[in-house]
Amino acid sequence: PNPDELAEIAISSADSYRALTGETPQIAMLSFSTKGSAGGERVAAVAEATAKVRAARPDLAVDGELQFDAALVASVAEKKAPESDVAGRANVFIFPNLEAGNIGYKIAERLGGVQAIGPILQGLAGAANDLSRGCSADDVFHMIGITSLQASGLAGG
């Protein structure tokens, strides 16, 4: 996605997170760089998307570009992004592209042993979602719940 699309994804994800959990979203715009540790087009796109989220929704806590470890782990955040209000406590992770997001959630599920629900589709005219060919009955059950909440207007979508 381009910076405008990444910003829209971040905003939609934050709104869905708040609707689903009742908690305040802390958005990390993920990259292979933290705060300029690397450069290039891909890093610049994430930084631009972060600026667009801040401009469109100043009520949201967002920071980027952040490597995943800096976004999640407080001790790493203190070293890599000490000025960040989000680093080390992010709860919404915006991956820079579909490939990275898909790899990330499958690693979390298979190695981390967490329940991954998704992918959750957002920004559509109606409630619709997707399931992996390798999904379980529990995956289907959870996705039906999310889709029902989206259809009722309780979870964005």
Side-chain angles (χ1 to χ4, degrees):
N2 65 40
D4 289 325
E5 292 166 334
L6 276 177
E8 288 176 28
I9 290 166
I11 290 167
S12 293
S13 296
D15 290 342
S16 291
Y17 179 84
R18 185 185 313 269
L20 289 168
T21 68
E23 296 179 17
T24 302
Q26 302 288 325
I27 309 161
M29 304 295 286
L30 298 178
S31 175
F32 61 88
S33 171
T34 294
K35 299 297 185 182
S37 66
E41 250 179 67
R42 293 180 292 170
V43 174
V46 173
E48 183 180 342
T50 303
K52 288 178 180 286
V53 173
R54 287 182 178 140
R57 291 286 300 277
D59 60 305
L60 293 175
V62 60
D63 202 2
E65 82 279 3
L66 295 171
Q67 293 168 317
F68 186 80
D69 60 346
L72 184 67
V73 181
S75 61
V76 175
E78 289 174 17
K79 294 175 186 166
K80 291 185 175 184
E83 303 298 319
S84 177
D85 292 332
V86 171
R89 47 192 209 106
N91 54 22
V92 175
F93 303 95
I94 306 303
F95 286 80
N97 58 48
L98 177 62
E99 295 86 358
N102 186 274
I103 291 165
Y105 100 81
K106 288 184 184 274
I107 288 171
E109 183 178 42
R110 302 300 179 178
L111 292 180
V114 299
Q115 172 73 44
I117 302 172
I120 298 172
L121 304 180
Q122 302 179 112
L124 304 174
N129 287 298
D130 190 22
L131 290 163
S132 170
R133 290 184 309 257
C135 72
S136 68
D138 281 347
D139 295 333
V140 174
F141 174 79
H142 292 306
M143 189 55 73
I144 289 170
I146 297 290
T147 307
S148 296
L149 287 171
Q150 288 174 321
S152 71
L154 296 175

